[in-house]
Amino acid sequence: MSWLPKSPKARRRLTLVAAIAPVLALAAGLTLWGLRDTISFFYTPSQAHAAKPAAGRAIQLGGLVTAGSVVKHPDGRVEFTVSDHEASDRVTFHGDLPDLFREGQGIVAVGAFRADGVFEAKQVLAKHDERYMPREVAKALKEQGEWRGDVGQAQK
């Protein structure tokens, strides 16, 4: 075996590395496989239309609440439309909305798309003062040319 080192010390090191490397690779693979369902991607409506995330896959959907789209039902369910001026998605949420939730405001909804294409939110996050907008929403609006200056500047 001419490819093996001649030194016994070097052979031990090579054997040790050869034994540890597959174990570390297996551990990294199992970790990534275990975390695959806990990763939550952020999409604007137009990015969600392009990516077509699988029904039931947890994502974050962000954009502006379309004016006139909020419908509150007696059972506590709220339906509204989130838009990024290129596309829009219907969102349904059951629960209490944040106090600062209103039409024309940037929000991030955490949940998943249903098979019928409606986004079912488990949580709705709204801005906390007049200057804050989620960083992902501000970035997406800048990329689409819809940015309105420093009024909605993302906080760091």
Side-chain angles (χ1 to χ4, degrees):
M1 301 224 158
S2 62
W3 57 273
L4 287 175
K6 295 186 191 255
S7 165
K9 192 174 186 181
R11 282 186 185 200
R12 267 192 310 254
R13 286 183 191 155
L14 183 62
T15 304
L16 185 64
V17 168
I20 292 176
V23 173
L24 290 177
L26 180 65
L30 287 174
T31 301
L32 292 173
W33 183 74
L35 293 175
R36 75 187 184 287
D37 290 333
T38 61
I39 296 171
S40 178
F41 294 103
F42 174 84
Y43 294 106
T44 62
S46 58
Q47 291 169 342
H49 286 228
K52 296 181 176 78
R57 174 140 174 93
I59 66 166
Q60 298 175 13
L61 181 69
L64 302 173
V65 178
T66 306
S69 69
V70 179
V71 178
K72 296 183 179 182
H73 297 279
D75 63 353
R77 187 170 42 99
V78 180
E79 293 181 5
F80 56 93
T81 302
V82 174
S83 173
D84 63 0
H85 300 291
E86 289 181 18
S88 60
D89 282 314
R90 194 78 185 143
V91 177
T92 182
F93 175 69
H94 193 280
D96 295 327
L97 289 169
D99 292 337
L100 297 173
F101 177 89
R102 63 182 177 278
E103 296 175 351
Q105 174 180 323
I107 62 111
V108 174
V110 180
F113 280 102
R114 299 188 309 214
D116 62 359
V118 175
F119 188 81
E120 189 166 337
K122 294 180 180 174
Q123 184 180 20
V124 175
L125 307 170
K127 64 183 186 178
H128 62 72
D129 69 13
E130 24 327 304
R131 295 185 317 120
Y132 178 78
M133 182 176 290
R135 184 175 298 126
E136 295 90 353
V137 174
K139 181 180 176 189
L141 289 174
K142 283 180 184 178
E143 288 173 358
Q144 295 169 1
E146 294 294 332
W147 185 248
R148 296 190 183 115
D150 293 333
V151 174
Q153 185 174 6
Q155 301 290 320
K156 292 185 179 179

